[in-house]
Amino acid sequence: MRRFGISIYGVSRKIRTGELSPIAAFDKICDMGAEVVELVPFGFNLAETPELKKDFKEASKMRGVPIGNYSLNANFLMLDDEAYKNAMIRVKKHIDVVSDMEIPTIRVDSAAFARPMSENTMEKFQEEMPLIVSTYEAICDYAKPLGVTVLLENHGFHANGSERVRQILTSVKRDNFGHQLDVGNYACVDDIPEIAAKKMIQFAKTIHMKDFYLRPAHRDPGGAEEFNCEDSWFRSVNGSFLRGSILAQGDIDIWDIMRTIKTSTFDGDIYLEYEGMEECEYGTRVSFANMKRIYGEV
């Protein structure tokens, strides 16, 4: 059943500054009308704070708003054997958390967000594909008896792009593996988001709705910082400029993407993931209202 949700990531800057506790942030996005919530452990760590895990479960029950997904940054590439082993241990601890909280899905990355751009080539990706596939299969094997589905998001600048993501999705032979389709993130590797959504909707288990201001490489807006997607413009793999916006106020055709979603067989959760520079509660609230409004319009 399709539900409209909000990722706690949108207000995570206030969690990290201490302006909101994790539970207060959960309550804030419930007050905005979220029918389901995505947890992203920025500013808190549920694998190390069992009392907070209990608090989230109680808050979810009290508000009647389920926690539908858990998004975890991770990296398994360009590591020595010991670092790889530790990365796998860390991810398994978070899968245990997700299982205990009865969250059905967890997004797990394979490549670091701030991986050097020179290492993001197609040749390097093909070289690393066997490791990417074997890692996801091992994670899925660990997660399956716990009732958890593992999701691959098109995130960052390496394991991203419709062709690369499709190759991973079709190579990992596990039935508890799927795609978290982030409609904005495809622009980070210069895919056209509206076209990528049409190509990848068939694989989607969950969706992130996100918008960006987009500028070509020759139109430098000033103030760009590499890998800083929260507080400034940043650059795509090929040098274009991006900056997060309130949904439907940026340059991505959200109406076209919503039409793609609405006319597809997708029936999972659609999460607003706000990543703009406006005050984050305001940006999340307006974006979520726009997301639901546009879905009704198309």
Side-chain angles (χ1 to χ4, degrees):
M1 182 178 112
R2 187 173 297 160
R3 298 176 294 190
F4 295 98
I6 297 175
S7 175
I8 203 169
Y9 173 80
V11 296
S12 64
R13 68 185 66 177
K14 286 194 172 182
I15 299 175
R16 285 172 286 172
T17 62
E19 295 174 73
L20 289 175
S21 71
I23 301 304
F26 181 89
D27 283 333
K28 286 281 186 184
I29 58 181
C30 288
D31 290 341
M32 294 177 193
E35 299 168 357
V36 62
V37 168
E38 176 189 65
L39 293 185
V40 184
F42 281 16
F44 59 93
N45 187 334
L46 294 181
E48 297 178 359
T49 51
E51 66 280 3
L52 183 57
K53 180 174 65 175
K54 180 182 176 182
D55 290 344
F56 268 119
K57 291 173 71 174
E58 290 179 351
S60 174
K61 182 178 180 180
M62 183 177 68
R63 296 301 300 256
V65 178
I67 300 168
N69 185 55
Y70 186 95
S71 280
L72 181 68
N73 286 3
N75 174 55
F76 293 98
L77 305 179
M78 300 174 66
L79 302 177
D80 61 29
D81 290 346
E82 186 66 20
Y84 180 91
K85 178 182 176 181
N86 290 335
M88 186 67 81
I89 290 170
R90 172 180 172 267
V91 167
K92 288 179 177 179
K93 286 181 179 178
H94 284 273
I95 292 173
D96 291 341
V97 168
V98 166
S99 176
D100 184 59
M101 295 179 70
E102 299 180 318
I103 302 172
T105 57
I106 179 171
R107 181 210 83 189
V108 180
D109 293 332
S110 62
F113 178 80
R115 173 183 169 123
M117 287 293 191
S118 61
E119 297 291 337
N120 294 332
T121 64
M122 178 58 78
E123 292 79 10
K124 192 68 174 177
F125 177 76
Q126 294 300 338
E127 176 187 325
E128 292 171 333
M129 261 296 291
L131 179 58
I132 293 171
V133 172
S134 64
T135 297
Y136 275 122
E137 289 185 342
I139 293 170
C140 289
D141 289 345
Y142 183 83
K144 185 165 185 177
L146 300 176
V148 176
T149 292
V150 178
L151 302 180
L152 163 67
E153 181 180 352
N154 51 306
H155 190 218
F157 305 92
H158 188 58
N160 195 352
S162 56
E163 297 306 317
R164 295 188 191 189
V165 172
R166 184 187 184 102
Q167 186 174 353
I168 298 171
L169 289 168
T170 56
S171 297
V172 174
K173 305 303 183 184
R174 297 296 186 269
D175 60 8
N176 63 323
F177 187 62
H179 185 26
Q180 179 163 64
L181 195 169
D182 187 303
V183 304
N185 281 355
Y186 277 115
C188 297
V189 292
D190 302 286
D191 265 10
I192 299 171
E194 297 84 352
I195 295 175
K198 291 177 173 63
K199 293 166 67 174
M200 301 304 295
I201 189 67
Q202 63 180 301
F203 300 103
K205 301 292 186 184
T206 63
I207 291 175
H208 276 168
M209 292 301 300
K210 181 188 296 178
D211 202 354
F212 283 123
Y213 299 110
L214 304 172
R215 299 292 182 270
H218 68 276
R219 290 178 55 191
D220 184 349
E225 298 179 26
E226 189 172 29
F227 304 129
N228 183 357
C229 60
E230 287 189 305
D231 302 309
S232 73
W233 292 86
F234 65 101
R235 304 195 79 163
S236 73
V237 166
N238 295 300
S240 299
F241 293 93
L242 302 88
R243 198 189 96 183
S245 78
I246 289 174
L247 195 81
Q249 295 186 10
D251 294 314
I252 297 175
D253 190 341
I254 300 301
W255 286 259
D256 183 74
I257 290 173
M258 278 299 197
R259 190 175 297 108
T260 294
I261 296 169
K262 196 170 184 178
T263 58
S264 74
T265 59
F266 174 81
D267 64 353
D269 296 332
I270 304 173
Y271 294 98
L272 181 280
E273 187 186 41
Y274 172 68
E275 202 170 74
M277 290 174 62
E278 295 85 357
E279 194 280 327
C280 62
E281 287 183 46
Y282 170 80
T284 299
R285 184 174 64 253
V286 174
S287 294
F288 184 64
N290 282 347
M291 183 176 84
K292 292 182 68 177
R293 173 179 60 83
I294 293 168
Y295 183 86
E297 290 176 354
V298 298

